Amino acid sequence: MSIPLSMKGIGDGLLVTVPEGTWSVVRPSLLQAIDERSDFFRGAYVALQMANRSLNAAALGGLRDELSEREIVLTAILTTSKQTRVAGADLGLALEIPRPNIDQDFELDPIESDLEGDEAVLLHRTLRSGHSIRHPGHVVVIGDVNPGAEVVAGGNVVVWGRVRGVVHAGATGNTKAVVCALDLAPTQLRIAAQISISPERKGKPRPEMAMLKNGQFVAEGWEHN
Amino acid sequence: MSATVVTVTSGKGGVGKTTATANLGTALAEFGQRVVCIDADIGLRNLDVVMGLENRVVYDLVDVIEGRCNLRQAMIKDKRLKDLYMIPAAQTRDKTAVSPDDMIRIADELRPKHDWILIDSPAGIERGFRNALAPADLILIVTNPEVSAVRDADRIIGMTEAEGKEEPKLILNRVRPEMVRRGEMLRAEDVLEILAIDLIGVVPEDEGVLKASNHGIPIALNGRSKAGRAFRAIASRLMGDELPLEDFEAEGGLFNRLTRMVKTGGQPA
């Protein structure tokens, strides 16, 4: 990954910090950074932290259109610049972090992670159909991931429960990411850019850990050893 | 004495919300309770048809909200039971004519003089559903033993959680025991594994339900119908009776398992 990007999960969306510098330089590098993580961003709701950057409506509208071409919805602009605020308001963007949608009202509690620079979140609940969690770090769920629910994580996904929905680990391109669950039978499992469909289960469910080995999905027993 | 507001909802259409509302209302009224059923499906009115009161509709819910009549005038008295009333939906308007606050206001106005207010929610997850949900003290989710209905029920449960409502209770409707026995239909256990909420009743598929709906005579009035008995049993459970769940699925084991589930609050033992 060549261009670093500072972001954090906010409920069902992401808050991305736009780096300092000249707009004509920052804009293409921001888009490139997003393109490098296109799997992770596809379908995301994004708020941009713009600090005191001054942009007119044309520049901001152009950025929104670029994001929209990448299937990213720009929802909000956080800024102290008056011009940018006016431009954002003209485009119908929120000027503060939007209240999470009623059905996606999650507390994402950051927890300690031993991987430096990686944040992790803990969800102590069952994710039901329609729920979507998107986080740049690791995601730990204590509960089930039901059919129709979705977890997209930049890092690993650990579920203390049943996985029946869609889980995407390493969505920012990390092929070393893993998915662990007590009962792993997702509708679809993705790691980095690879997609797999669970085989029909035979026998009793057991804890499993799925990962990529030489570009192929493998699931191993997730046990003490 | 203040009424309990029960919202009957499902997400998916056609699973039996209106049938359940009409039958639970009828059964509760037969047990001597004072009941009002409200059709919150503005624009697709049909609770009045199922209850056989279509030809008595003069004013509707939107008329009350917009002040063209008072609440009393919109309440249609049932033909058979003395303490059963129904407030019809407007047929010519849409969901935007009603707000969640309107529903809360109407429910609050009805509470003092009744024991139960049953709200028939529209399908879907939009405005109409939110209107129906707003005043609810108790939510009944109706689902069928089929994957798509269960998926939608799961979504609805998630949305009620986000609203801070108490955990809904589940009615599993249109179960066909012979298909379950052949392994061709989801079992109650399979549905509960996903939804993980309390099961308050299992209603078997019954041709009589359709006939009764078409004639405007709720099946709960028919003591010989299995579905009618199932709805009466759910009404009893709403009133606090701890009836065991009927065994429609198999001869042996499952009955005991379901009974145990009810006692332990829906957690399969």
Side-chain angles (χ1 to χ4, degrees):
Chain A
M1 225 171 283
S2 56
I3 300 174
L5 192 62
S6 165
M7 56 181 161
K8 66 178 209 177
I10 44 167
D12 61 327
L14 296 164
L15 176 63
V16 175
T17 303
V18 178
E20 308 258 318
T22 321
W23 185 237
S24 60
V25 178
V26 169
R27 179 190 140 112
S29 77
L30 175 69
L31 291 172
Q32 194 187 334
I34 286 172
D35 287 340
E36 284 169 0
R37 301 162 176 86
S38 58
D39 279 345
F40 180 68
F41 275 101
R42 189 169 300 123
Y45 293 88
V46 166
L48 292 177
Q49 172 57 262
M50 291 269 194
N52 59 356
R53 178 181 298 285
S54 196
L55 287 179
N56 62 24
L60 200 54
L63 180 64
R64 183 183 62 176
D65 295 345
E66 289 272 10
L67 293 175
S68 153
E69 277 172 26
R70 292 163 171 80
E71 295 174 46
I72 298 165
V73 182
L74 181 59
T75 53
I77 295 290
L78 308 186
T79 177
T80 52
S81 151
K82 183 152 183 250
Q83 188 191 16
T84 311
R85 287 179 73 87
V86 171
D90 280 351
L91 291 167
L93 300 172
L95 298 174
E96 51 195 42
I97 295 191
R99 239 177 62 84
N101 280 343
I102 172 169
D103 54 325
Q104 283 154 339
D105 192 357
F106 294 112
E107 291 285 329
L108 290 176
D109 305 325
I111 53 175
E112 292 285 326
S113 153
D114 60 356
L115 299 175
E116 204 177 330
D118 274 350
E119 198 183 70
V121 292
L122 173 67
L123 282 143
H124 195 150
R125 61 178 300 152
T126 285
L127 297 179
R128 295 184 178 276
S129 176
H131 286 152
S132 172
I133 286 295
R134 198 176 283 265
H135 189 265
H138 310 294
V139 175
V140 181
V141 179
I142 302 177
D144 296 341
V145 178
N146 278 358
E150 174 188 60
V151 177
V152 181
N156 304 317
V157 178
V158 179
V159 180
W160 190 264
R162 283 184 289 257
V163 172
R164 297 284 182 270
V166 173
V167 174
H168 191 173
T172 46
N174 179 3
T175 53
K176 296 207 163 55
V178 299
V179 177
C180 311
L182 295 185
D183 176 359
L184 187 63
T187 315
Q188 205 183 72
L189 184 66
R190 304 181 197 171
I191 295 178
Q194 300 282 335
I195 300 179
S196 113
I197 296 164
S198 295
E200 283 283 312
R201 180 197 307 291
K202 298 177 197 82
K204 258 173 82 103
R206 56 173 193 149
E208 282 183 307
M209 174 156 71
M211 67 196 90
L212 288 178
K213 273 192 181 160
N214 304 320
Q216 299 289 314
F217 274 92
V218 289
E220 293 177 350
W222 180 32
E223 304 166 329
H224 178 72
N225 49 21
Chain B
M1 183 73 195
S2 177
T4 305
V5 180
V6 181
T7 295
V8 181
T9 189
S10 69
K12 188 174 182 296
V15 298
K17 284 180 296 298
T18 302
T19 306
T21 308
N23 281 292
L24 293 178
T26 301
L28 285 167
E30 260 211 320
F31 295 150
Q33 302 283 298
R34 297 165 302 171
V35 183
V36 188
C37 298
I38 303 178
D39 190 346
D41 198 353
I42 312 297
L44 294 167
R45 181 174 90 199
N46 53 29
L47 183 61
D48 54 329
V49 179
V50 174
M51 292 178 75
L53 302 172
E54 188 183 12
N55 55 6
R56 305 185 184 200
V57 173
V58 179
Y59 293 111
D60 58 47
L61 190 61
V62 175
D63 291 324
V64 177
I65 287 162
E66 296 182 348
R68 280 185 292 276
C69 69
N70 63 37
L71 194 50
R72 195 74 218 171
Q73 288 172 292
M75 290 167 63
I76 300 167
K77 194 175 177 316
D78 187 66
K79 292 189 267 202
R80 293 161 284 258
L81 297 162
K82 74 175 170 58
D83 274 326
L84 177 60
Y85 291 86
M86 196 263 314
I87 300 176
Q91 183 67 340
T92 53
R93 301 291 292 274
D94 67 31
K95 307 337 183 205
T96 55
V98 182
S99 75
D101 285 343
D102 291 330
M103 293 300 290
I104 292 173
R105 195 165 48 79
I106 286 176
D108 284 346
E109 199 177 327
L110 290 167
R111 273 178 210 269
K113 289 194 175 158
H114 300 90
D115 301 305
W116 299 91
I117 299 165
L118 305 187
I119 301 177
D120 183 18
S121 159
I125 55 174
E126 288 85 19
R127 175 72 170 267
F129 161 69
R130 292 185 191 285
N131 287 340
L133 193 64
D137 302 316
L138 173 67
I139 298 158
L140 295 180
I141 307 256
V142 183
T143 195
N144 297 157
E146 65 178 82
V147 173
S148 59
V150 173
R151 182 80 60 96
D152 290 358
D154 192 43
R155 175 127 168 89
I156 292 290
I157 296 166
M159 296 177 83
T160 63
E161 283 170 358
E163 287 272 359
K165 296 286 184 185
E166 263 188 53
E167 188 178 271
K169 297 198 184 303
L170 186 71
I171 296 175
L172 188 58
N173 193 21
R174 307 191 68 171
V175 171
R176 297 173 63 171
E178 73 289 357
M179 284 184 74
V180 174
R181 275 195 290 272
R182 290 201 300 266
E184 292 165 357
M185 184 173 255
L186 293 176
R187 296 170 304 159
E189 283 170 317
D190 302 327
V191 175
L192 291 173
E193 182 184 300
I194 298 280
L195 300 182
I197 59 173
D198 285 0
L199 183 63
I200 194 171
V202 178
V203 183
E205 177 82 303
D206 183 340
E207 285 180 7
V209 173
L210 183 63
K211 279 198 284 187
S213 290
N214 288 343
H215 290 119
I217 307 163
I219 194 92
L221 292 167
N222 179 350
R224 282 189 307 240
S225 152
K226 276 188 178 171
R229 286 206 300 271
F231 281 119
R232 292 164 76 100
I234 295 169
S236 297
R237 291 185 194 111
L238 283 174
M239 292 168 62
D241 291 347
E242 291 185 18
L243 292 180
L245 281 163
E246 304 82 345
D247 176 25
F248 294 114
E249 296 196 354
E251 306 306 326
L254 188 65
F255 175 78
N256 294 322
R257 286 204 293 280
L258 284 176
T259 317
R260 211 160 50 227
M261 253 182 255
V262 168
K263 284 186 184 146
T264 57
Q267 299 301 318

